[in-house]
Amino acid sequence: MNADLKPARGGQAFRLDSALSSQGQGLSFLSDFCRLDLFTAVIAGKDKQAGCNLKTPSVARKKSSRNVPFFSFRIELLHIAPEVWREFYVPSDISLARLHLVIQYVMGWENCHLFSFDIRGDTYDIGDDYKNFLLTGNERYTPLSTIKLNVLRISTRTRIRYLYDMGDCWLHVIKLLDRNYVPETPKQKCGCIAGKGACPPEECGGASGYDQLLEIQADPAHYDPEERWDEDDPIDPEAFDIELINSRLSSL
């Protein structure tokens, strides 16, 4: 593995507000655990991602005249029923930071938890090394925005494991389908091709909690009112709106 692409270690949520307070710094915008959208704003160079107001320096992007091929992938959420999967495409030189955002959009997550990629046994996340970078300025951390997918030797035999939410532990498997995918709309750099099913609600307690929510919704009379899901916002496990997904992806 390229020494410049040393993966981060960790993946555990931490109390950033407490850590900074101990050094005489305060972050009033952090509540319980530090929010992933604040990290995402830094690693992706965006200051308004998922409602984040964190200001980051603007960096001019270099325009390239070369044609960058597209990769198409299939991602599947494991251990739940009904099945939830998507097929999508991205530029082959996409960073892991931006790939994370694409996955959040295509799957329907809300980008409010930590995450990690596991690629051939190497873990890439925003764990302990990134915490140290924030607190001390230690430059050993390699930002995920600088790690490009096309230098990680991804093949159709590679299985990428994407873990979202270290509490509920939503595990996804990503498979490369085509290294030279030709999108119907080349001007849109990221797009959803196909899919099925809806992701569970955030903070529902993982796969077992989601199963119970579906059982409660199917037969609410047998459960206490406190256990029932909001009847004004019912769960539709079969929901899938490809036009809405692609509309959101167009903002990336």
Side-chain angles (χ1 to χ4, degrees):
M1 180 177 178
N2 190 321
D4 294 333
L5 300 180
K6 182 180 180 180
R9 299 184 302 276
Q12 298 297 319
F14 62 93
R15 291 298 297 269
L16 183 60
D17 51 349
S18 299
L20 291 179
S21 296
S22 67
Q23 296 194 7
Q25 304 179 55
L27 289 179
S28 60
F29 51 78
L30 288 176
S31 54
D32 191 0
F33 288 99
C34 75
R35 292 180 54 192
L36 177 60
D37 52 10
L38 301 180
F39 281 127
T40 302
V42 176
I43 61 178
K46 297 172 73 69
D47 61 3
K48 295 183 180 179
Q49 175 60 34
C52 171
N53 294 318
L54 183 65
K55 299 300 181 181
T56 56
S58 58
V59 178
R61 295 183 179 180
K62 295 181 180 180
K63 294 184 178 180
S64 175
S65 59
R66 64 186 179 88
N67 293 322
V68 177
F70 292 93
F71 286 173
S72 66
F73 292 94
R74 177 185 172 98
I75 181 171
E76 180 179 355
L77 178 60
L78 302 183
H79 310 311
I80 70 166
E83 63 179 338
V84 180
W85 60 268
R86 304 284 188 267
E87 291 183 7
F88 65 96
Y89 68 88
V90 294
S92 60
D93 62 351
I94 193 171
S95 70
L96 292 184
R98 193 160 294 272
L99 178 61
H100 156 70
L101 294 180
V102 171
I103 293 172
Q104 290 287 304
Y105 282 16
V106 299
M107 295 299 290
W109 295 118
E110 297 178 13
N111 193 26
C112 54
H113 294 284
L114 295 172
F115 68 94
S116 69
F117 290 97
D118 185 282
I119 304 175
R120 295 194 313 278
D122 290 324
T123 299
Y124 303 85
D125 60 18
I126 50 176
D128 291 340
D129 281 353
Y130 191 63
K131 176 179 66 175
N132 293 334
F133 174 74
L134 282 178
L135 299 181
T136 68
N138 190 324
E139 296 182 357
R140 288 182 303 170
Y141 174 76
T142 302
L144 298 185
S145 59
T146 67
I147 302 177
K148 306 297 184 180
L149 197 59
N150 59 355
V151 303
L152 296 178
R153 303 191 305 276
I154 302 298
S155 74
T156 55
R157 293 178 294 178
T158 305
R159 296 296 181 269
I160 301 173
R161 295 166 67 89
Y162 173 77
L163 181 62
Y164 173 62
D165 187 347
M166 305 308 172
D168 284 358
C169 294
W170 298 114
L171 181 60
H172 309 66
V173 171
I174 307 171
K175 175 184 177 182
L176 177 65
L177 300 177
D178 189 346
R179 296 181 61 90
N180 292 285
Y181 179 76
V182 179
E184 294 183 1
T185 309
K187 291 184 178 180
Q188 183 161 334
K189 299 303 181 183
C190 306
C192 184
I193 305 167
K196 183 178 181 181
C199 272
E202 298 273 8
E203 308 291 355
C204 70
S208 60
Y210 181 54
D211 288 342
Q212 185 175 23
L213 282 180
L214 294 180
E215 292 175 3
I216 294 172
Q217 181 171 268
D219 191 11
H222 287 76
Y223 294 88
D224 294 333
E226 292 80 6
E227 296 180 299
R228 298 175 189 171
W229 189 252
D230 185 358
E231 295 181 357
D232 295 329
D233 186 23
I235 300 171
D236 182 1
E238 302 290 347
F240 172 66
D241 189 337
I242 192 171
E243 293 184 359
L244 178 60
I245 292 172
N246 281 322
S247 176
R248 291 173 175 170
L249 286 173
S250 66
S251 67
L252 290 179

